[in-house]
Amino acid sequence: MAFQDFDHISERRRRERQAKRKKIIIIATVSILVVLLAAAAAVAAVVYNRRDASSSPSSSSTSKHGSSSSSKNKEAPVKEIAQNQKAIKMICSPTDYKKACESSLSKEVPENSSASPQPKDFLKAAISVTAAELKKAVKEINSKLKFDSPEEKAAFEDCKVLFEDAMEELNSSISDVEVEDLTKLSSTTPDLNNWLSAVISYQQTCIDGFPDGELKTSMQKSLKSTKELTSNALAIIAKISSVFSSFSPGSSRHLLADQPASSPPAVDEDGLPSWISHEDRRMLKAKTVNLAPNVTVAKDGSGNYSTISAALAAIPEKFEGRYVIYVKEGIYDETVIVTKKMVNITMFGDGSQKSVVTGNKNFVDGVRTFQTATFAVIGEGFMAQSMGFRNTAGPEKHQAVALRVQSDRSIFVNCRMEGYQDTLYAQTHRQFYRSCLIKGTIDFIFGDAAAIFQNCMIYIRKPLENQQNIVTAQGRADRHETTGIVLQNCKILADETLEPEKSKFKSYLGRPWKEYSRTIVMESEICDLIHPDGWLPWDKDFALKTLFYAEFNNKGAGSSVSKRVKWPGYKVITKEEEVMKFTVGPFIQGESWLKPAGVPVRIGLF
C-alpha cells in the first residue's frame, strides 16, 4: 500500500497479533463454511458423488441391458448441479440483486474435485464477474455512442478516466482476494470495501457528468448491470466480514489526551483554531518545521521551482518513501493535479493563508463540476499541511470546486478550503481532515468518500439572494457502500459576510445527493444559523427513507433536535456504542495510518 512507510509495527507486536488472529480464523473459517455459506457440505456431497461415480466399476462400463449404471451416470450430474445451486443461493442471500448474483456465480465459481470452495473463491468470482461486465459495458458504450454536443463528448472523456480507475481497483480487489492465508483475507476486508465503494462512485460520477437527455439515459442502462454486480460483491464481503468480526476481540475506546472544545473560535495566523490543545499545536508546528523537503516551490524564484505543477512533474518515477514538497508563501494561480502515479506526497506551506493555490473554473463558464477543481488529488497517501485551496468564481458561477480528493488515506491538517458552491469534493476513498477551515454556501462539503472532519471550523458564507445554504451533500448511491461524511468536534458558524444577515437565509446541515446519503454530525457545536429542521430534502421525498442522517451529543444554539425533520432515515443517537462505528478507528481504519504518521487524531469519542 502507498502508506507502507507509515506502517512500522514492532516484530513482537506483529507476532502476538498474528497468533491471536490465527485462533480467531480457525473459528471464523468454520462458521463461514458451515453457518454462512453452507457450501462445504454441498460441495463435499458433489465431490463424493464424483468420486463414487469414478471409482465404481459400473460407472465406466454399461450393462448389456443399459440399466442401473446408466441411471447413476445421469443422476450424478443432476445432483451435482442442484448442490452447486444451493451453495450459490446461500452466498447470494444477502445481496440486493439475487438473480444477477446467482446467474453470474453459476458461471464463475470453479468446480474443484479435491477441495471445497473457500470464501475467497466466492469473493473472487463476484468481483471477477463485475470486472468482466464493466469491460463489456465499456466496449458497448464505445461502439454505439454518438455525441450531439461538445458537453456530451467532454463528459465521456471524464468517463474514460473513471472507467480506467474502476477497472484498476477491481483488479486490485481480485489480487487481494487471491491469498491462501485467511488471516490476510479478513484483514484486507476494509480495502475491498473501500475499492468497491469507489467503483460504484466512479460509475455514478460518469453518469452525472452528462446533461439530462437520451445519452445520459443510455449510459445509465449500459452501466446498470455493472453497478448491480458491484453492489452484490460488497454485500457478500459484508456478510463474510460480519462472521469474522463476531469472533474478534471487542474494540475499546482509544482516547488521546483531553482536548478542550468550548473555547472561542478565533484562528491564529497559521489558521489554527485557538481551542486546539497545546500539545496538538506543538505537534502541528513542529511537524512543519522539522520536515526536510525534497524540493522547494517559491513564486519569487528562490526555490527549485516557481510552480507546484512543475515540482510535481519532476518527481522521480521510482522514488521510494515520502516525497516532501515545501511551498513557500505566495498565491499560486494554477490548476494542480496530483496524479495516480504520484503517491506518498507530503506538501506543506507557510500557513493556510500564506501558501495558497487559487483558481476560478466553474460550471457556468462551461466546465464540468468534476473538472472545476483548483487542486485535485488522486495519488494515494497524499498529505497536506498549512496549505490553502481556493476557488474564487463566486456564488453566481454555481459549482466551483476548490479541492477535489480521490486519494485513499489522504490527510489534510491545518488547511483552508474556500469557495461557495461545492467547495470541497471529497470524491472517493478514506480521507481525514484535522483542524481545517472550510468555507462555502451550497453543498460545500460533498462527495462519496469515507471522510472524517475532526476539530474543523466550518464557515457558512452569504449566498445569492434566492439561495439557501447546505453544509453537506453526501453521495452514497448504494446501501452496501462503506462511505459517509462525519463531522466530529467541529464548529459550524456564520462567516463575517453572513453573520449580519443570517436571519435572511435558511441554512441546513445537509441534503441527500444520492439515495443512500449518509452524514453524521457528532460532538460538534452548531450555531444559531442552522434551521430548526436541521436537514433539507433534495427533491420532494427522494431518499428520505433510505438515507442515514444522525446527530449525537452536539451543543450550541442550533443543536436542538426537538424540531428536526421526521424522516424515516433521520435519527438522534443517544448511545455511545452506536456512534462508535463512525469514529476514526472503525470507519476509516485510521489507527493504522494516522497515528504512525504523527497526525494529531482522536481515535474514539471526545
Side-chain angles (χ1 to χ4, degrees), residues 271-456:
L272 276 169
S274 60
W275 43 271
I276 288 187
S277 70
H278 172 74
E279 178 62 17
D280 281 357
R281 189 177 297 273
R282 184 192 65 77
M283 287 178 66
L284 281 173
K285 292 188 174 181
K287 207 65 177 166
T288 300
V289 172
N290 293 335
L291 285 173
N294 295 88
V295 294
T296 297
V297 178
K299 192 175 180 66
D300 61 9
S302 61
N304 304 96
Y305 303 94
S306 58
T307 67
I308 298 170
S309 296
L312 288 169
I315 296 174
E317 285 189 17
K318 296 183 179 180
F319 186 85
E320 294 184 3
R322 198 140 268 278
Y323 194 84
V324 181
I325 300 174
Y326 166 43
V327 181
K328 281 189 172 183
E329 181 176 353
I331 305 299
Y332 296 84
D333 190 353
E334 56 178 309
T335 299
V336 178
I337 301 177
V338 180
T339 68
K340 189 184 301 183
K341 293 181 180 180
M342 300 172 184
V343 300
N344 286 333
I345 304 297
T346 291
M347 189 176 294
F348 72 95
D350 286 324
S352 63
Q353 296 188 79
K354 295 178 179 179
S355 300
V356 179
V357 191
T358 188
N360 62 2
K361 290 183 179 180
N362 62 85
F363 183 79
V364 171
D365 288 346
V367 183
R368 300 170 309 288
T369 304
F370 183 71
Q371 297 289 0
T372 60
T374 299
F375 197 102
V377 186
I378 303 168
E380 61 180 293
F382 180 82
M383 183 174 183
Q385 295 185 38
S386 304
M387 291 285 299
F389 308 95
R390 290 180 188 160
N391 191 310
T392 59
E396 66 280 357
K397 295 292 187 176
H398 300 295
Q399 296 94 328
V401 177
L403 174 66
R404 175 169 71 88
V405 185
Q406 186 180 323
S407 168
D408 188 25
R409 297 180 180 178
S410 50
I411 303 170
F412 293 84
V413 178
N414 188 22
C415 291
R416 295 171 71 97
M417 301 84 178
E418 298 176 275
Y420 287 87
Q421 183 171 348
D422 293 1
T423 302
L424 172 56
Y425 187 0
Q427 185 186 347
T428 57
H429 299 124
R430 292 163 289 196
Q431 306 178 15
F432 181 71
Y433 300 79
R434 174 77 180 202
S435 306
C436 291
L437 189 151
I438 307 160
K439 286 190 174 187
T441 54
I442 300 173
D443 306 335
F444 64 95
I445 300 175
F446 77 109
D448 193 23
I452 293 183
F453 297 79
Q454 205 171 82
N455 288 35
C456 290

